[in-house]
Amino acid sequence: MALRHAVLAALLHGEYSGYQLAKAFDIGVANFWHALPQQLYAELAKLEKDGLITGRQVIQETRPNKRLFQVTDAGFAELETFAAAVSKPSFIRDDLLVKIHAVDRIDTSPLIEQLEERASAAEARAGLLTSLLDTMRGALDEEEYLRTGERIGPYLTCLRGLSFEREHRAWCLRTAAVLRERRQARAER
Amino acid sequence: MALRHAVLAALLHGEYSGYQLAKAFDIGVANFWHALPQQLYAELAKLEKDGLITGRQVIQETRPNKRLFQVTDAGFAELETFAAAVSKPSFIRDDLLVKIHAVDRIDTSPLIEQLEERASAAEARAGLLTSLLDTMRGALDEEEYLRTGERIGPYLTCLRGLSFEREHRAWCLRTAAVLRERRQARAER
DNA sequence: TGTGTCATGTAAGTCGTTACATGATTGA
DNA sequence: TCAATCATGTAACGACTTACATGACACA
């Protein structure tokens, strides 16, 4: 009962096909929700059945046909109810952190590599989010945009994502450096 | 196949009962993994059946009896294999961020409240993590501890958690301020 | 000629959540 | 006396993951 609302929120700023939604879940929505395309297609079907979204067929000539979805009034009402209810605590799941927790008992060299790869990935994502923010903001500076802009929801969640990626990168680099130094120290003994 | 490794990693620094594990998943492990007590009891049973941990009964007089678990050699080997394999991308899920994404179409006053509650919760958790780190570090300063300490895994993951909580708090307060200001501006028109 | 993009799903199996169930002791 | 802590689970249901399936066009 929760992917539902993430999909509704993502569908709020225009019509999307399942395929386009999947992209959105890889970029902007990834800042607060993670879902695979199969889940999205299934959820879109359920949402339509429940009348929270409506789909319309778009026939294309050079591309496969697609269905575009938009939120109905019932969908907006559902989001409103959801927003007023208490939020579940946010949750994180990270394989790499599990490994780092176990670092005192396992070989660190694959971990150092993974940390550095992660740092690069986080940097790349931070860059992507930065340019996304630039685009949304247009000519305005951030304060002005947040005061007067019309669609600040995605902007705000991207800001959170950006700060997350930057911090994640910094932590990965720091941790990799610590593990490298300890390796070296052990090798010299 | 993933809670498994989080449990093994959590069990690495001593014996735990299911109940104590659940506590650990509320505090330190929460920085990278989330699981409910029922899941932990079930997972402990599976891990024992698979020979990755062993349990021993401890009879108590004033308290209900309990079973303490520790990682076996097979368990360590499993963790080693896991650590060397590629990590899945980390994933986040946050109800409140879903709501903020939809902020342009819904009533913001419950969101402002929730953001401020979250900020307080994040601050409290940051305080808790700070004192946890102090305890682990003992008399040493951080650099020294990370260079020479014997059990730095939990320390490193707590550092990540602390930075997460601080950034989360800052974002919540900023976002709440933005929404408040916009509310006010609309009221004055 | 092969890789990437567009486009949508099904099926099987695993995992996670919610609700329920019990019961003694400790401390405010 | 009431709430919290210690201690461990089961059962039913809903959500998620992994693997599979198809097929045309664009671009290098």
Side-chain angles (χ1 to χ4, degrees):
Chain A
M1 298 274 194
L3 172 57
R4 218 177 172 64
H5 301 111
V7 170
L8 285 173
L11 239 40
L12 225 49
H13 304 289
E15 290 182 314
Y16 284 78
S17 66
Y19 188 84
Q20 290 171 307
L21 238 203
K23 293 243 147 153
F25 268 75
D26 263 0
I27 305 170
V29 182
N31 293 316
F32 54 90
W33 209 269
H34 154 91
L36 298 167
Q38 303 96 299
Q39 261 178 287
L40 298 177
Y41 284 111
E43 195 63 44
L44 285 170
K46 264 198 261 175
L47 282 164
E48 193 180 21
K49 200 195 71 195
D50 296 346
L52 304 183
I53 61 175
T54 43
R56 63 183 184 89
Q57 183 90 10
V58 174
I59 284 120
Q60 299 185 117
E61 278 168 22
T62 66
R63 290 281 170 205
N65 297 338
K66 61 182 173 183
R67 304 197 67 214
L68 293 181
F69 296 93
Q70 56 185 318
V71 181
T72 63
D73 288 345
F76 286 118
E78 171 71 23
L79 261 183
E80 195 78 47
T81 306
F82 171 67
V86 292
S87 302
K88 292 189 191 167
S90 73
F91 91 63
I92 307 172
R93 241 163 224 194
D94 195 331
D95 267 22
L96 185 50
L97 277 274
V98 174
K99 296 172 185 179
I100 298 301
H101 198 81
V103 88
D104 305 308
R105 299 294 302 254
I106 59 184
D107 179 20
T108 55
S109 57
L111 296 182
I112 294 168
E113 269 180 54
Q114 290 178 48
L115 285 165
E116 285 169 353
E117 274 166 42
R118 268 290 182 88
S120 304
E123 192 173 4
R125 239 188 90 72
L128 194 142
L129 291 173
T130 302
S131 55
L132 235 174
L133 288 166
D134 281 350
T135 306
M136 286 193 258
R137 204 192 309 118
L140 301 175
D141 71 6
E142 191 165 286
E143 276 210 24
E144 186 69 11
Y145 176 75
L146 287 175
R147 219 173 350 197
T148 64
E150 277 175 20
R151 272 178 269 149
I152 61 162
Y155 195 93
L156 290 166
T157 54
C158 277
L159 276 182
R160 180 71 192 101
L162 179 57
S163 126
F164 178 86
E165 296 297 340
R166 283 180 176 158
E167 288 292 311
H168 191 45
R169 172 169 180 274
W171 177 87
C172 285
L173 291 178
R174 169 94 198 277
T175 301
V178 166
L179 297 184
R180 263 189 204 289
E181 212 191 312
R182 289 169 70 96
R183 257 186 99 68
Q184 186 110 36
R186 269 203 311 286
E188 280 165 8
R189 275 204 322 269
Chain B
M1 296 274 192
L3 171 58
R4 211 174 178 66
H5 301 110
V7 170
L8 285 173
L11 239 41
L12 226 49
H13 304 291
E15 290 182 315
Y16 285 80
S17 67
Y19 187 84
Q20 290 172 307
L21 237 204
K23 293 244 146 152
F25 269 74
D26 264 0
I27 307 170
V29 182
N31 293 315
F32 55 88
W33 210 270
H34 154 92
L36 299 167
Q38 303 94 301
Q39 262 177 287
L40 298 177
Y41 284 111
E43 194 63 43
L44 285 169
K46 263 198 261 176
L47 282 164
E48 192 180 21
K49 199 195 73 195
D50 296 346
L52 304 182
I53 61 174
T54 44
R56 64 184 184 87
Q57 183 89 11
V58 173
I59 283 119
Q60 299 183 115
E61 277 169 22
T62 67
R63 290 283 170 204
N65 297 339
K66 61 182 173 184
R67 302 197 67 215
L68 294 180
F69 295 94
Q70 56 185 318
V71 181
T72 63
D73 288 344
F76 286 118
E78 172 71 23
L79 260 183
E80 193 79 47
T81 306
F82 171 69
V86 292
S87 302
K88 291 190 192 169
S90 74
F91 91 64
I92 307 172
R93 243 164 223 195
D94 195 331
D95 267 21
L96 184 51
L97 276 275
V98 173
K99 297 173 186 180
I100 297 302
H101 198 79
V103 88
D104 306 308
R105 299 294 302 255
I106 59 184
D107 179 21
T108 56
S109 57
L111 296 182
I112 294 168
E113 270 182 52
Q114 290 178 47
L115 285 164
E116 286 169 353
E117 275 165 39
R118 267 290 181 87
S120 305
E123 193 173 3
R125 238 188 90 72
L128 194 142
L129 291 174
T130 302
S131 56
L132 236 174
L133 288 166
D134 280 351
T135 305
M136 287 193 257
R137 202 192 310 116
L140 301 175
D141 71 7
E142 191 164 287
E143 278 211 24
E144 185 71 12
Y145 177 74
L146 288 174
R147 220 174 348 197
T148 63
E150 276 176 21
R151 271 177 272 149
I152 62 164
Y155 194 92
L156 289 167
T157 53
C158 277
L159 276 182
R160 180 70 193 101
L162 178 58
S163 125
F164 178 86
E165 296 298 340
R166 283 180 176 159
E167 288 293 311
H168 192 45
R169 173 169 180 273
W171 177 86
C172 285
L173 292 178
R174 170 93 198 277
T175 301
V178 166
L179 297 184
R180 262 189 205 289
E181 211 190 314
R182 289 169 69 96
R183 257 186 100 68
Q184 186 109 35
R186 268 203 309 287
E188 280 165 10
R189 274 205 321 270

